[in-house]
Amino acid sequence: MREIVSHVAGWLTLKQAGILSELASRIPDGAHIVEFGSFLGRSTLSLISGAAEGVVLYAVDPFEGDEVGPRPGRSAVAGVDSEAVHLEFHRNIALASAEGRVRHLRMRSAQTPDEVIEAAGLVFVDGSHRFRDAAQDLRRVCRQLRPGGWLAIHDAFYSVEVTLAIMTVLLRRRDFAYKGRSGSLAVYRRTATAPGGSGVSPTRGNRLHQVAELMTLGGVCVRKTGLLMAAAAGSVTDIDARWPH
């Protein structure tokens, strides 16, 4: 499966793919995994590769319009054939013999049925990176993810609007603990909460840890700006190989 993942285009690094696989291995039978944003299936296959046989993954992606991100190696303004991406996603899932364990919901994340999120043990958020959409996704997951469940977010602290959504939605929550990141992949866990609303809550230090990641965002923005300027000047040809992920 790892060999297949490495040949599927996408922005997820192999180290991040390994983290998703390891998180998926913690999900018990009876729960399932949800991902918002599948693109060509790199994250989908990473998640399902670590999951137990009885765990199903719901891949939520509308494959429409500007919800389909640019393929690595292709300009973000060149446009993408959403139907071609949709078909390639399913081809990749079939190549990995994962059709029976992946249920594609061709809809926007906001349309995901409540029961799908409520029964999830792990949610991976990599949908629209606009602030409004990203914040909406995070608010929904924070309301419905079960105690003890895991939340992974791609482009966290690497995208201005995604970072703003995290600071707006997650920073003040007492029931989500920040567990760290690998590059742009950040991991949180919903803390165990008693029926009355009490329970273990993240410490002040945990919140400061998230605030400190804003320094990472600043550095990434400077690096991206430099790469774009270098590409415009013609001094960088393979921008994808140097783009921070």
Side-chain angles (χ1 to χ4, degrees):
M1 181 76 78
R2 181 180 174 84
E3 182 178 349
I4 295 174
V5 169
S6 67
H7 286 89
V8 175
W11 302 113
L12 196 74
T13 68
L14 287 179
K15 182 176 181 180
Q16 292 168 350
I19 291 172
L20 289 184
S21 179
E22 195 279 327
L23 286 175
S25 71
R26 304 182 188 187
I27 308 308
D29 287 342
H32 54 247
I33 300 168
V34 177
E35 72 167 355
F36 291 160
S38 303
F39 193 37
L40 298 178
R42 189 175 176 95
S43 59
T44 315
L45 295 177
S46 300
L47 288 162
I48 206 66
S49 69
E53 283 296 323
V55 174
V56 172
L57 188 154
Y58 287 86
V60 183
D61 198 312
F63 292 113
E64 62 181 26
D66 59 4
E67 292 299 314
V68 180
R71 179 196 303 268
R74 178 184 296 173
S75 169
V77 298
V80 177
D81 183 339
S82 58
E83 279 305 317
V85 172
H86 175 229
L87 291 174
E88 189 169 347
F89 165 76
H90 281 284
R91 279 197 297 269
N92 289 333
I93 298 303
L95 183 64
S97 301
E99 307 102 304
R101 302 180 62 200
V102 176
R103 298 178 186 174
H104 176 213
L105 302 182
R106 193 168 185 180
M107 58 183 63
R108 293 177 178 270
S109 55
Q111 299 171 310
T112 308
D114 290 342
E115 58 269 23
V116 169
I117 301 176
E118 289 167 354
L122 165 63
V123 178
F124 174 54
V125 176
D126 191 22
S128 169
H129 287 14
R130 298 184 185 91
F131 168 74
R132 180 179 177 182
D133 297 334
Q136 177 177 261
D137 286 345
L138 294 180
R139 287 191 182 100
R140 180 112 186 262
V141 174
C142 286
R143 285 198 309 269
Q144 298 180 307
L145 184 65
R146 60 174 61 182
W150 295 89
L151 167 62
I153 308 168
H154 199 234
D155 281 320
F157 310 115
Y158 275 49
S159 164
V160 173
E161 294 189 68
V162 174
T163 301
L164 183 57
I166 289 172
M167 291 294 137
T168 301
V169 178
L170 282 165
L171 186 62
R172 292 181 177 274
R173 291 197 67 101
R174 301 181 62 192
D175 55 346
F176 275 81
Y178 177 54
K179 296 297 184 179
R181 67 178 177 85
S182 172
S184 63
L185 179 69
V187 177
Y188 290 79
R189 191 176 193 187
R190 187 164 196 179
T191 55
T193 306
S198 61
V200 179
S201 63
T203 64
R204 182 170 179 267
N206 188 277
R207 295 177 186 177
L208 290 175
H209 190 185
Q210 296 175 68
V211 173
E213 297 290 13
L214 293 175
M215 295 293 290
T216 298
L217 175 64
V220 168
C221 288
V222 169
R223 185 178 172 192
K224 287 181 177 179
T225 300
L227 283 171
L228 291 172
M229 291 176 66
S235 58
V236 170
T237 54
D238 187 7
I239 191 171
D240 288 314
R242 308 185 189 187
W243 198 257
H245 301 303

